[in-house]
């Protein structure tokens, strides 16, 4: 990306003038993805449009999602072509997430494409993949990952070893319990903080089954249609309105087992979590860069003592520090997206750096916007809420770093 816009003709932050982008240059295909998506989001996902979209029952602009998934193919960007996907890799999906994060555009991209689709592709039977993945790829079906107790970060192995704790439920109570029945399986329990859980047409549910003798966590499919017996979904108020969440209750709810036993469900969740961390990091980097650009533009136009605020040395140094922090996070994120193999090991570390960069940039943005930045309706506040919300859902940063160090053996043996 280009360096931040100048605060005045001769007052750009020094780092902004001298530094070149730290990431590898984009291919022509990647440049086209970025340009096309940025143009669409500039047209349909401005601050006022986003507020209107979050007020709808779905929590996002369904027409915009149809264009993103149908015309641009974002919903199936990283899915194989045999299932109607585009067949691109993580680098292209990360680029798309960076643009949606830049606009703070509410959409099912995170819940459906980033979290759920890889698990369906990795664990589903051939019949399940053939039945579900094409609908996910064209955007006609959305999906949400539901885990009990608000333990999404732990279930994905981002903040701890997901094999070490009974986060899905233990014994005969707690979490979400799955019991075999004549017509398949039945689910009992509750999942909190389910991203897009109130609107998704398909729920991918992590549940505990087997009691003490064969205790294990499995994934189940629940068709979330209106009037589904035993399924209660309640949209919850959130700090970040663009990241909708819901509480989902299962009261003797019919479900279908994803895949076949035996299956390494916890390993698949951890691999999906490391890959999702890259996409979340890309979102955070995009949001941080946009917050920085807006702040640079503001201090360049606002005058104090007869000169632009951005011309003061202290302000220029603060902006330069933020630029370096955001670009470093962006570089680490792009490197993680290009890491070979499923579940890049550097994903959680990239997420930690990106969330920290977003939090720092959003905080400085509020300060440098002055009094207007602290009004709840101002755009500067939206980035601060995204930073806080994502860290609550997928962090905190210190645990992301600790888990990354544990897995890579930085302070001892390599974790499983």
């Amino acid at each position: 990306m280009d360096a931040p816009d100048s605060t005045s003709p001769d007052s750009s932050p020094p780092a902004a003038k001298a530094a070149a982008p730290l990431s590898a240059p984009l291919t022509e295909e990647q440049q086209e993805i970025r340009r096309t998506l940025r143009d669409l989001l500039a047209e349909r996902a401005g601050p006022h449009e986003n507020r209107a979209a979050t007020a709808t029952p779905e929590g996002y602009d369904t027409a915009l999602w149809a264009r993103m998934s149908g015309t641009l193919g974002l919903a199936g960007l990283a899915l194989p072509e045999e299932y109607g996907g585009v067949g691109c890799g993580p680098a292209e999906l990360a680029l798309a997430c960076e643009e949606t994060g830049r606009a703070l555009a509410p959409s099912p991209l995170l819940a459906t494409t980033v979290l759920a689709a890889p698990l369906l592709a990795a664990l589903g039977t051939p019949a399940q993949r053939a039945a579900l993945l094409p609908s996910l790829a064209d955007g006609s079906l959305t999906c949400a990952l539901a885990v009990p107790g608000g333990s999404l970060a732990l279930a994905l192995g981002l903040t701890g070893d997901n094999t070490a704790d009974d986060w899905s439920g233990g014994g005969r109570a707690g979490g979400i319990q799955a019991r075999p029945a004549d017509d398949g399986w039945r689910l009992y329990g509750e999942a909190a903080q389910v991203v897009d859980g109130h609107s998704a047409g398909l729920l991918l549910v992590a549940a505990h089954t087997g009691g003490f003798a064969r205790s294990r966590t499995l994934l189940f499919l629940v068709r979330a249609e209106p009037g589904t017996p035993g399924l209660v979904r309640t949209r919850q108020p959130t700090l970040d309105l663009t990241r909708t969440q819901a509480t989902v209750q299962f009261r003797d709810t019919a479900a279908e087992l994803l895949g076949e036993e035996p299956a390494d469900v916890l390993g698949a969740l951890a691999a999906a979590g490391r890959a999702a961390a890259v996409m979340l990091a890309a979102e955070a980097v995009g949001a941080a860069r946009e917050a920085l650009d807006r702040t640079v533009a503001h201090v360049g136009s606002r005058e104090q003592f007869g000169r632009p605020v951005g011309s003061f040395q202290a302000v220029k140094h603060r902006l330069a520090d933020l630029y370096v922090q955001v670009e470093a996070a962006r570089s680490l994120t792009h490197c993680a997206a290009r890491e070979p193999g499923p579940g890049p090991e550097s994903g959680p570390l990239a997420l930690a750096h990106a969330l920290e960069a977003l939090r720092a940039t959003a905080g400085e943005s509020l300060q440098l916007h002055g009094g207007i930045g602290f009004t709840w309706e101002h755009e500067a506040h939206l980035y601060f809420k995204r930073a806080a919300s994502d860290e609550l859902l997928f962090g905190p940063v210190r645990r992301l770093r600790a888990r990354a160090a544990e897995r890579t053996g930085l302070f001892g043996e390599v974790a499983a």
Side-chain angles (χ1 to χ4, degrees), residues 3-36:
D5 298 332
S6 59
T7 56
S8 67
D10 59 350
S11 61
S12 295
K17 288 181 176 179
L22 301 176
S23 303
L26 302 179
T27 65
E28 291 185 9
E29 182 182 24
Q30 291 170 342
Q31 290 176 351
E32 182 64 18
I33 290 174
R34 182 176 71 174
R35 183 192 64 79
T36 306

Side-chain angles (χ1 to χ4, degrees), residues 376-398:
W376 196 248
E377 297 81 7
H378 194 272
E379 297 167 12
H381 226 296
L382 302 177
Y383 297 95
F384 184 82
K385 289 186 281 187
R386 169 59 66 89
S389 176
D390 273 9
E391 192 165 357
L392 288 172
L393 268 177
F394 303 103
V397 166
R398 59 181 177 81

Side-chain angles (χ1 to χ4, degrees), residues 34-375:
R34 182 176 71 174
R35 183 192 64 79
T36 306
L37 182 55
R38 185 174 294 187
D39 289 345
L40 174 61
L41 294 177
E43 175 189 347
R44 297 293 300 269
H48 297 293
E49 291 82 1
N50 287 346
R51 287 193 182 95
T54 58
T56 64
E58 295 84 4
Y60 61 91
D61 184 347
T62 55
L64 174 60
W65 174 243
R67 289 183 62 180
M68 290 171 62
S69 56
T71 307
L72 302 183
L74 292 190
L77 195 61
L79 288 176
E81 294 182 21
E82 62 181 302
Y83 297 115
V86 180
C88 291
E92 287 74 23
L93 183 56
L95 189 63
C97 289
E98 187 174 336
E99 291 303 316
T100 58
R102 191 181 184 103
L104 296 182
S107 78
L109 187 66
L110 172 63
T112 299
T113 307
V114 173
L115 293 176
L119 290 169
L120 290 170
L123 297 175
T125 65
Q128 288 172 334
R129 292 197 297 267
L132 297 174
L133 290 182
S135 297
L136 294 183
D138 65 19
S140 59
L141 177 66
T142 58
C143 189
L145 176 62
V147 301
S151 55
L152 183 58
L154 178 58
L156 294 172
L158 295 177
T159 56
D161 183 1
N162 65 359
T163 66
D165 299 300
D166 291 330
W167 51 267
S168 64
R172 298 180 179 275
I176 300 176
Q177 299 292 323
R179 299 176 188 173
D182 294 338
D183 56 349
W185 293 81
R186 295 282 173 171
L187 301 183
Y188 307 83
E190 177 179 299
Q193 295 178 308
V194 181
V195 179
D196 288 352
H198 74 289
S199 61
L202 179 70
L203 296 176
L204 187 55
V205 186
H208 180 273
T209 189
F212 293 101
R214 298 185 63 238
S215 177
R216 62 204 187 279
T217 299
L218 299 176
L219 289 175
F220 297 88
L221 300 170
V222 175
R223 289 283 185 176
E225 300 172 351
T228 300
L231 180 64
V232 180
R233 302 191 289 174
T234 307
R235 182 175 176 177
Q236 299 294 333
T238 57
L239 178 64
D240 177 11
L241 296 179
T242 66
R243 190 82 88 196
T244 59
Q245 300 173 35
T247 297
V248 183
Q249 295 178 320
F250 304 95
R251 304 171 180 176
D252 192 27
T253 308
E256 175 188 352
L257 178 66
L258 176 65
E260 298 175 344
E261 292 195 79
D264 185 13
V265 172
L266 297 179
L269 279 168
R274 294 193 296 274
V278 178
M279 307 310 157
L280 288 162
E283 276 194 347
V285 166
R289 185 53 195 261
E290 180 66 13
L292 178 58
D293 289 347
R294 288 175 180 269
T295 304
V296 169
H298 175 75
V299 298
S301 61
R302 180 185 174 213
E303 292 190 358
Q304 193 173 45
F305 305 115
R307 56 188 292 193
V309 173
S311 66
F312 293 105
Q313 189 176 44
V315 174
K316 289 193 287 185
H317 286 180
R318 289 165 72 178
L319 293 174
D321 288 342
L322 291 176
Y323 174 75
V324 172
Q325 191 172 3
V326 171
E327 282 300 302
R330 182 172 181 264
S331 179
L332 182 56
T333 299
H334 283 211
C335 288
R338 292 182 173 90
E339 191 175 312
E345 292 294 338
S346 54
L349 186 59
L351 178 58
H353 279 272
L355 289 179
E356 197 166 56
L358 176 56
R359 182 177 59 192
T361 306
E364 287 285 6
S365 178
L366 288 176
Q367 293 287 338
L368 292 174
H369 272 83
I372 61 172
F374 286 88
T375 59

